[in-house]
Every structure is written in C-alpha cells, then in structure tokens.
Amino acid sequence: MIVLNVTYKCKPELREEFLEAILREGIDIDCRAEAGNVKYEYYLPFDGSGDELLLVEKWRDADALALHFKQPHYQRLMQLKERYVLETTVDRLRPKP
C-alpha cells in the first residue's frame, strides 16, 4: 500500500473556494471510484485557520497510483491548483507489512 499526505498551501483566503471547486466537480468522488483506491479524504485544520488543506490518499500499489495520474479528473485538479494553490508538499509513506 502507498500512502500520500498531500498538503496544499492555498493562496490567501482561497482554501475554502478550492475545496468547494473540488467537491462541486466531483473530483473526490471520481478518485475514490478508481480501481486501487483505498482512501481519498480532505482535511481542514482543527481550528479552521490558515490556508492549508490536507489530502490523505491510500493506493493499493504503484500501478494504481500511476494510473491515477493519467485520469481526466486528476488533470482537472492540476488546473484548479494553478488558480488556488501556492505550494504543494507530498509525503509518500509506505506502511510496514
């Protein structure tokens, strides 16, 4: 299994608009429906402050993740990031068997 913790640092005051666009376009639903997806969830900071948004993704294996990067909804997410996101940090974890 592959786990990705993706932290989006959004442009000031645009985090909620970014998340709303993702949900409105069904990008989250499409990602969850992909073969090999185990988890795909967005999280806001507990106190709701700041401009960060966390995405936790779990994929069955590297092949499923590689296919994910080729999907139209993934490409649409990349377009939305251009409008809303200043910086993206990805931490790739491999849980112990």
Side-chain angles (χ1 to χ4, degrees):
M1 182 172 314
I2 298 171
V3 178
L4 301 178
N5 288 339
V6 182
T7 303
Y8 298 110
K9 181 171 176 28
C10 296
K11 295 176 182 176
E13 309 291 323
L14 292 181
R15 180 185 63 196
E16 284 75 18
E17 193 174 326
F18 177 49
L19 182 56
E20 288 171 7
I22 291 166
L23 300 176
R24 181 177 56 251
E25 295 196 23
I27 292 170
D28 59 322
I29 293 168
D30 291 341
C31 290
R32 286 186 202 107
E34 289 182 51
N37 179 265
V38 177
K39 179 177 184 150
Y40 191 93
E41 297 291 336
Y42 287 92
Y43 297 92
L44 295 171
F46 181 75
D47 64 1
S49 66
D51 293 312
E52 289 188 349
L53 178 65
L54 174 65
L55 167 61
V56 177
E57 301 180 60
K58 292 184 181 179
W59 298 92
R60 178 187 61 229
D61 55 31
D63 290 338
L65 183 58
L67 186 58
H68 168 65
F69 294 142
K70 297 177 182 177
Q71 299 303 311
H73 49 270
Y74 178 84
Q75 299 306 318
R76 180 61 183 140
L77 178 61
M78 296 303 100
Q79 293 171 343
L80 290 173
K81 281 178 53 178
E82 289 178 18
R83 179 174 179 187
Y84 295 107
V85 176
L86 291 172
E87 181 181 333
T88 303
T89 304
V90 179
D91 296 314
R92 184 175 176 151
L93 312 169
R94 290 185 182 267
K96 294 180 182 180

